[in-house]
Amino acid sequence: MADFNSMQEAVISGNLPEATRLTQEALDEGAAPSAIVNDGLIPGMLVVGEKFKNNEFYVPEVLIAARAMKGAMALVKPFLKEGDMPTLATVAIGTVQGDLHDIGKNLVAMMLEGAGFKVMDLGVDVSPEKFIEAVSDGASVVALSALLTTTMPNIGRTIEALKEAGLKDNVKVIIGGAPVTQAYCDEIGADGYSPDAGSCVDMLKALIAA
Ligand code: B1M
């Protein structure tokens, strides 16, 4: 019988050897790969997100938890069949044009991936055209991060470019980063704002369900 509780604990504590050992054991015992992901690994990562949101975990703990999750996922992935893991949505994430900060953006990407979203990471210094291309390639969520007051307006410019391309109504645009606020989100017509990576998952799930 697969030990999903211990698997969750291994992810939460960032224990890579234990997470991979338990995952391999579950696979060897014949546990469904989708159950390993949905009942063992993702719930662990969701706890990590909660703890980060509540300042019980800091960046290093999140990074080692994500490493444990990734290591275990690498074992399961070859056994996941088409349709086994319905993705919640495909998210194209990037730091906006002119901005090279990526630590926060990477945390958001990890949390979203850990929660079951498919993530297309476009990197840093991403032009509005690149985001438009990603939407044409299937992204239904555009996630924009900015860390500088001087690059924050490029969030608004990206939204304008999506509107001009006639794509804004096809996607949800979510935004965040140190200078970004709910007021700015409302001003530029983004669909959602979150102050940290943990609450980004809850915010996006609520947006999609609405
Ligand atoms: Co830069 N930098 N930096 N920097 N840097 C800041 C942002 C700054 C506040 C430092 C300061 O002066 N006190 C300041 C900005 C001032 C301002 O605009 N008002 C600043 C500056 C000025 C600069 C340069 C211009 C410096 C220079 O060259 N003169 C330059 C700009 C380069 C560029 O981007 N074009 C620059 C460069 C750099 C480094 C390259 C050296 C490095 C980045 C390395 C990297 O990212 N790979 C760097 C760093 C590390 C910082 C600080 C120290 C840390 C940023 C960070 O990673 N925080 C930062 C000062 C600070 O914040 N204390 C600073 C940790 C991270 C987990 O938090 O990114 O906020 P954060 O992400 C959070 C939330 O904001 C949120 O979730 C994350 C996790 O909870 N979030 C989202 C982020 N994106 C989200 C998206 C969402 C939702 C939530 O939805 C899509």
Side-chain angles (χ1 to χ4, degrees), residues 128-129 131-133 135-136 157-170:
E129 294 72 29
F131 283 108
I132 287 172
E133 217 175 284
V135 174
S136 307
R157 290 190 189 113
T158 305
I159 293 179
E160 284 310 310
L162 285 166
K163 279 186 190 157
E164 279 164 27
L167 294 171
K168 172 66 184 70
D169 292 341
N170 306 354

Side-chain angles (χ1 to χ4, degrees), residues 66 70 90 93 101 123 133 146:
K70 272 196 174 166
T90 300
I93 191 168
H101 296 85
E133 217 175 284

Side-chain angles (χ1 to χ4, degrees), residues 52 98-104 145 147-149 175-178 194-197:
F52 185 57
D99 199 321
L100 302 176
H101 296 85
D102 69 354
I103 298 168
S145 177
L147 259 289
L148 300 170
T149 45
I175 67 173
S194 70
D196 60 70

